[in-house]
Amino acid sequence: MAEARPFRHGEGAERSDRTVGSRQLAAMLPDPARARPAYRHLARAISVLILDGRLALHVRLPAERELAAALNTSRATVTALYDLLRESGYAHSRRGSGTWTALPEGRAPSGITRLLGPEDTAIDLARAAPGLPERTLVDALAQVAPRLAEHAHTPGYHPYGLPELRAAVADRFTRRGLATVPEQILVTAGAQHALTLVLGLLCRPGDRVMVENPSYPNALEAIRRARLRTLSVPVTDTGWDIEITESTFRQSVPRLAYLIPDFHNPTGCLMPDDERVRILRAAGRCGAWLVVDETLADLALDVPAPPPFASRTTPGGAGRVITIGSMSKTHWGGLRMGWLRAPARLVTELAGQRIATDMGGSVLDQLLALSLLDRAGELLPPRLEQLRRQREALGAALAEHVPQWTWHLPPGGLSLWVDLGTPIASALADRALDHGVRIEGGAHFAPDPGLFEQRMRIPYTTSPDTLRDAVHRMATALAEGPAPSWTSRREHWVV
C-alpha cells in the first residue's frame, strides 16, 4: 500500500492541466496604462477576479513574456505583478511549474461573503430578498409540529422531495396554466441548487451556455465554476433583443440557455408572450435545453402574474424546458426551499445526481414550505402591496436626491435597475459604504468584465423610511466625489 503523505499547499493545482490563456486574462484586465504603478493596478484587478470567481482557483497563469505581450506592457511590469500576487497570497509558484492562482489565508470567495449579513449597522441594499413576518413563521411552526412528529419514526430521506410538497408544487403549476404531475417535480434547496444539479447533469466543461446580459450573479458563477462557455444576449431597459437571441441559437448552437423571463433580475423586464414563443422555437430547432428561472414570477405588481414559460410550448414540445423556482423571493430565503419542473425521466436522473452531495432536504423545512404554500392566497397579496409602497418610496427618494439618475419602472420584481449616467458604480459603492450603505455596482451582474459600471441595482425590499435614508446617504456620498475604484477592505455579496 502506498504510504499516505500530507497535502501541500498548491499541490493539487500543480497536477492540474487548467491554464488561463494570456489573451483571455488580458481581456479581463484593465489597461495598465491607465493607472500608476501599473503592476499594483493589475494585481488588484486579478485579486478581485479571483475573489469573484471569474478567475478560478488553482489555474496556471500565463508566462510573464506572454502576458506582457498581450497587455502591451513590459515584462518587468508583469514580473512585479506576479511578485505582488505571491506576496499577498493570491498566487504561488514552484520552480518549473509556473505561477498558480490561490486564495490568501483568512479570505473567502465573494460567493460566500456576499451571502453573509453585514457585521455592522449598515443599510443592506446588496441583497434583494425580503424577510418573513415573525408571526407568520411562528404560526407555521405551530401548525407543522404535529405533522413533523408523524415523520419521526421514518428514516426521513426524500431524494425527490416530500411527496405532499411535490404534489402541492405540481398543483401550483397546473393552476397557473401548465398541467403538471408530482413525478415532474424535484424539490431542491433553492433555485440555485436546482440550477447546479441541471448544469452538472446536462453539461460538460467547454459546452456553450447562453445567458442574458445582465443576469443573476450567482447563476453566472455556477456556470463559470462548471467551466462552461457563456454566450451573452442583451437585455435592455425595454427588454430582450429577440433577433440577437434567435441568431445566437442558430449560429452558436448552445447546449443550454438560462433565462429569467419574469421580472428579470436585475432589469425587472417581463418578456412578452410572442417572444417566449420565438425563443421556444429557436431553442427547439437547435436542440438546446431551456432553463427558465421563475423565482420572481409571483411578484407581479402592476400586471397579472404571467403563466409558466413552458405553457407556451406546442403539445409534446416541452421536453427540453426545465423550470426552476423557489420561495426565497416570495417568502424567505432562510427556508432554502426550491424546486424544478422537468420531464419525469429527467427528474429521476437529477434525483440521482443529488444523492452524491445531498440525500434529501430537511423534512421540517419542507413541511414549513407546504404550510406557507397552502396559505399563499392569504400571504401574497399583502406582500405585494408592501412592495408597491416600498417601490414608490424608493422612486420618490431617487427623484428628490439624485434627479440626474434614470430608471424604468418595472411591472414586478424586487428592484430598480438604475442608470447613473456615468461609469462610477463601483467607486460610488465604495464611497457609500463609508456612509453606512452596502450596495453593489452593476458589474456584478455582467457575464463579461467591464460592463454596467454606469448601473446599480437598488432593491426595494426594506421599509420606506430605510430606503429614503439609504438614498440620502448615497446622494451625500455622490456629492463628495468618487472613491478609488478598488479597495481591499470591501467584500462583495449579491442575492
Side-chain angles (χ1 to χ4, degrees):
M1 179 181 295
E3 181 181 357
R5 55 192 180 89
F7 175 80
R8 293 195 301 270
H9 177 71
E11 183 178 18
E14 291 164 10
R15 291 200 302 266
S16 169
D17 60 356
R18 299 177 64 185
T19 303
V20 60
S22 57
R23 291 184 180 179
Q24 178 187 2
L25 181 57
M28 302 168 72
L29 296 176
D31 183 354
R34 293 183 60 184
R36 291 287 183 258
Y39 74 95
R40 290 190 178 273
H41 186 52
L42 294 168
R44 290 168 179 167
I46 288 177
S47 66
V48 169
L49 290 172
I50 291 172
L51 289 174
D52 282 351
R54 286 176 284 171
L55 186 58
L57 291 172
H58 310 307
V59 298
R60 182 160 42 201
L61 294 169
E64 293 178 2
R65 182 179 287 105
E66 293 175 3
L67 185 57
L71 290 170
N72 194 26
T73 190
S74 69
R75 183 173 178 181
T77 295
V78 177
T79 299
L81 158 65
Y82 281 7
D83 285 344
L84 185 55
L85 288 175
R86 285 187 287 266
E87 181 182 319
S88 58
Y90 287 98
H92 67 90
S93 301
R94 292 183 67 187
R95 185 178 299 276
S97 67
T99 300
W100 300 76
T101 58
L103 193 65
E105 188 75 26
R107 296 302 299 267
S110 57
I112 296 174
T113 57
R114 67 168 56 114
L115 292 174
L116 300 176
E119 297 179 357
D120 51 27
T121 58
I123 298 172
D124 184 9
L125 295 182
R127 296 178 290 183
L132 186 67
E134 293 179 16
R135 187 73 257 167
T136 300
L137 182 58
V138 170
D139 290 346
L141 284 168
Q143 180 186 11
V144 305
R147 299 168 71 178
L148 180 64
E150 294 172 5
H151 287 266
H153 68 281
T154 72
Y157 296 118
H158 298 278
Y160 289 98
L162 209 61
E164 50 265 51
L165 181 55
R166 296 178 76 196
V169 174
D171 181 63
R172 179 178 177 274
F173 275 106
T174 300
R175 284 186 280 107
R176 293 176 58 216
L178 180 62
T180 304
V181 296
E183 289 75 17
Q184 294 174 286
I185 300 298
L186 178 69
V187 177
T188 62
Q192 187 73 10
H193 181 210
L195 175 62
T196 303
L197 288 174
V198 170
L199 295 176
L201 180 67
L202 298 182
C203 299
R204 295 292 178 267
D207 282 351
R208 297 183 181 94
V209 173
M210 191 180 81
V211 297
E212 295 151 327
N213 186 22
S215 187
Y216 179 50
N218 293 330
L220 295 175
E221 184 156 347
I223 292 167
R224 293 187 194 106
R225 289 184 178 275
R227 301 174 63 187
L228 306 173
R229 292 184 288 171
T230 56
L231 308 166
S232 59
V233 296
V235 181
T236 67
D237 288 324
T238 56
W240 287 256
D241 191 318
I242 194 65
E243 284 77 18
I244 290 180
T245 303
E246 287 176 318
S247 67
T248 300
F249 276 117
R250 183 174 61 253
Q251 297 175 12
S252 300
V253 192
R255 170 67 174 167
L256 178 147
Y258 170 75
L259 304 173
I260 313 172
D262 304 313
F263 316 121
H264 176 263
N265 186 3
T267 68
C269 293
L270 178 63
M271 185 182 289
D273 284 347
D274 64 315
E275 294 185 5
R276 296 173 186 237
V277 173
R278 291 173 66 176
I279 285 177
L280 284 164
R281 289 174 179 168
R285 282 193 290 267
C286 72
W289 288 90
L290 284 180
V291 178
V292 181
D293 188 335
E294 293 187 348
T295 55
L296 296 164
D298 284 336
L299 299 178
L301 303 181
D302 300 327
V303 295
F309 191 99
S311 68
R312 300 305 186 199
T313 59
T314 57
R320 284 184 171 258
V321 180
I322 301 169
T323 303
I324 62 178
S326 83
M327 301 180 69
S328 296
K329 306 300 187 183
T330 54
H331 293 77
W332 183 41
L335 287 172
R336 302 315 310 139
M337 276 290 102
W339 52 79
L340 63 82
R341 180 198 184 275
R345 190 171 181 178
L346 183 64
V347 165
T348 297
E349 294 185 44
L350 289 165
Q353 177 88 358
R354 83 177 299 179
I355 290 297
T357 56
D358 172 18
M359 291 180 287
S362 159
V363 173
L364 173 58
D365 291 348
Q366 292 181 75
L367 288 172
L368 277 172
L370 182 61
S371 173
L372 293 171
L373 285 178
D374 286 343
R375 298 175 59 196
E378 166 196 347
L379 299 176
L380 189 58
R383 169 61 57 90
L384 298 181
E385 186 55 40
Q386 179 185 20
L387 288 173
R388 291 187 190 99
R389 291 195 300 269
Q390 291 168 181
R391 184 185 61 175
E392 181 180 4
L394 176 57
L398 291 171
E400 177 184 356
H401 295 293
V402 278
Q404 68 273 31
W405 292 0
T406 60
W407 66 92
H408 285 255
L409 192 70
L414 295 173
S415 58
L416 300 182
W417 184 234
V418 178
D419 189 339
L420 311 182
T422 53
I424 59 169
S426 295
L428 178 59
D430 283 337
R431 181 68 75 190
L433 189 61
D434 294 330
H435 291 265
V437 177
R438 295 181 181 273
I439 194 167
E440 297 296 350
H444 291 279
F445 299 85
D448 304 302
L451 301 176
F452 303 118
E453 266 298 315
Q454 81 284 9
R455 293 280 189 167
M456 269 189 171
R457 186 194 71 170
I458 307 181
Y460 39 83
T461 51
T462 57
S463 71
D465 287 344
T466 301
L467 289 168
R468 285 188 283 266
D469 185 18
V471 173
H472 180 264
R473 295 185 188 205
M474 291 172 64
T476 303
L478 181 66
E480 292 180 355
S485 60
W486 182 93
T487 175
S488 60
R489 66 180 172 84
R490 191 161 175 270
E491 302 286 4
H492 301 273
W493 56 86
V494 181
V495 175

